[in-house]
Amino acid sequence: METAENPGTYVKDGQEFSRDMRYIPSRITKDGRDGYPVEAGRYRLVAARACPWANRAVIVRRLLGLEDAISLGLCGPTHDARSWTFDLDPGGVDPVLGIERIQDAYFARFPDYERGITVPVIVDVPTGQVVTNDFPTMTLDFSSEWTEHHRDGAPDLYPDAHKDELDEVMDLVFRDVNNGVYRCGFAGTQESYEKAYDRLFARLDWLSERLTNQRYLVGDTITEADVRLFTTLVRFDAVYHGHFKCNRNKLTEMPVLWAYTRDLFQTPGFGDTIDFDQIKDHYYIVHSEINPTQIVPKGPDLTNWLSAHNREHLGGRPFGDGTPPPPVRASEAVPALM
């Protein structure tokens, strides 16, 4: 089954959307038990600004200060039925991997690879082979296995004291929100669409209530749970409200979640990874089954992302005992909101 971040037919008539979660399970660990030891400079994270699952990895890499340890390659926002492409790079070739399509890294390790060609993906640069595309484990490993290469002041995004609660909250957010918007957008029946729609907004209401009196999802600092929720909410009005028919409310009409998302957007490491033009181009051009004209909406207005969120009164320490990441590198900067 194709997923939203790999090529293929997304809407299956008469069927409920089901995400294929069979990702490549190899892990990069301190002990190298899968054959891939933590080693600065050896691996390349390949992502796309458009993709919310890849956006997670880009944010966590930046918050932890892993830029020197793990290089970043970026695919363009649109692709054909074969694979994500490096059309943002000169000549359409990734300057480190020397390939035009990320599928080449998959096939270098698995010549008969039949599942989705997804991002984010980590590639072993010396061999040019994919290591893993297991996005939920990838970011947790950035926190736990790459500690030797974290920047001074890096936050603890997966603190031991809150792991059980984090796992529970992240599971609910994934099922009903992160994947829920896709279950709406790629529903093949009216019944499956309405079921997903109801679950999505019931969970958003639950999150609104949870965040009314606390600044972050779990504890009083930013954690992995906030990263995972943010990448869906930041795309909500630009894409999911209209394109995926998640139209009970816009994010801007849900006061608590709108303020929460702006709070994160204005936090170093979050908003400075977001390119709204690439996000819209991907969804409205690639998903031609949903949007056959491939016309990309001109809106929404983005200037309100920088308006005051007024959530400081809830307390909380965004980075705990740590510090904000330094300014984003020029080579990885996104267009600034005017």
Side-chain angles (χ1 to χ4, degrees):
M1 174 72 71
E2 294 82 358
T3 70
E5 267 55 65
N6 64 263
T9 300
Y10 306 113
V11 180
K12 307 291 187 181
D13 288 343
Q15 297 183 27
E16 180 176 346
F17 172 72
S18 177
R19 183 177 298 279
D20 186 349
M21 294 295 289
R22 296 173 299 161
Y23 295 101
I24 300 167
S26 304
R27 294 174 59 192
I28 301 169
T29 56
K30 294 176 182 178
D31 61 11
R33 57 185 176 271
D34 288 348
Y36 299 102
V38 168
E39 183 180 331
R42 175 172 172 175
Y43 305 101
R44 187 161 178 82
L45 169 65
V46 177
R49 298 285 187 196
C51 167
W53 318 101
N55 195 179
R56 294 180 181 186
V58 174
I59 290 172
V60 171
R61 170 181 173 270
R62 174 147 160 66
L63 293 177
L64 298 178
L66 291 172
E67 291 95 334
D68 287 334
I70 305 170
S71 66
L72 177 65
L74 290 170
C75 296
T78 62
H79 55 66
D80 58 21
R82 290 172 58 197
S83 175
W84 292 87
T85 56
F86 293 98
D87 48 285
L88 301 177
D89 293 307
V93 175
D94 180 89
V96 172
L97 300 175
I99 57 177
E100 296 180 354
R101 296 174 175 271
I102 192 56
Q103 71 177 14
D104 296 338
Y106 280 78
F107 295 154
R109 183 177 175 193
F110 304 107
D112 299 322
Y113 191 77
E114 295 180 345
R115 297 198 294 276
I117 306 296
T118 62
V119 292
V121 62
I122 296 181
V123 179
D124 180 37
V125 175
T127 63
Q129 296 180 355
V130 61
V131 176
T132 183
N133 63 344
D134 186 352
F135 66 89
T137 303
M138 186 185 300
T139 50
L140 296 180
D141 282 347
F142 284 174
S143 285
S144 62
E145 301 293 332
W146 287 82
T147 53
E148 178 183 351
H149 301 286
H150 288 183
R151 65 178 176 84
D152 291 339
D156 187 352
L157 299 176
Y158 194 51
D160 288 337
H162 295 294
K163 280 186 177 178
D164 289 344
E165 186 178 6
L166 280 166
D167 289 344
E168 180 183 358
V169 170
M170 290 190 298
D171 180 62
L172 293 172
V173 168
F174 169 75
R175 288 191 290 107
D176 297 338
V177 181
N178 300 145
N179 197 43
V181 293
Y182 288 93
R183 292 174 66 246
C184 289
F186 295 148
T189 69
Q190 185 71 31
E191 180 182 6
S192 62
Y193 160 71
E194 292 186 9
K195 179 181 176 182
Y197 176 102
D198 290 342
R199 284 180 58 179
L200 167 65
F201 282 100
R203 186 61 59 197
L204 292 176
D205 290 342
W206 180 85
L207 288 164
S208 292
E209 183 176 355
R210 182 181 183 93
L211 289 163
T212 295
N213 296 310
Q214 64 186 64
R215 192 170 178 185
Y216 303 112
L217 275 176
V218 178
D220 67 348
T221 64
I222 291 169
T223 64
E224 174 88 16
D226 297 295
V227 175
R228 296 186 180 194
L229 179 56
F230 171 81
T231 59
T232 296
L233 294 184
V234 77
R235 289 163 171 76
F236 202 88
D237 286 5
V239 175
Y240 303 139
H241 178 271
H243 185 60
F244 278 177
K245 307 179 184 70
C246 302
N247 63 352
R248 191 196 77 177
N249 305 99
K250 296 178 181 177
L251 178 66
T252 54
E253 297 167 346
M254 294 181 275
V256 173
L257 292 180
W258 172 225
Y260 164 80
T261 312
R262 294 203 316 283
D263 186 3
L264 291 176
F265 185 88
Q266 295 169 30
T267 299
F270 285 84
D272 53 30
T273 70
I274 301 300
D275 188 318
F276 284 105
D277 286 340
Q278 289 197 30
I279 289 169
K280 292 194 298 182
D281 283 351
H282 171 71
Y283 285 93
Y284 286 102
I285 293 175
V286 173
H287 300 164
S288 57
E289 292 170 308
I290 298 176
N291 184 41
T293 66
Q294 298 181 303
I295 294 173
V296 179
K298 188 173 182 179
D301 177 25
L302 302 176
T303 56
N304 51 6
W305 279 100
L306 301 180
S307 62
H309 54 77
N310 300 316
R311 284 183 62 84
E312 300 91 341
H313 74 279
L314 296 174
R317 301 174 300 143
F319 298 98
D321 295 329
T323 58
V328 68
R329 298 179 176 191
S331 61
E332 298 183 8
V334 298
L337 297 183
M338 301 303 292

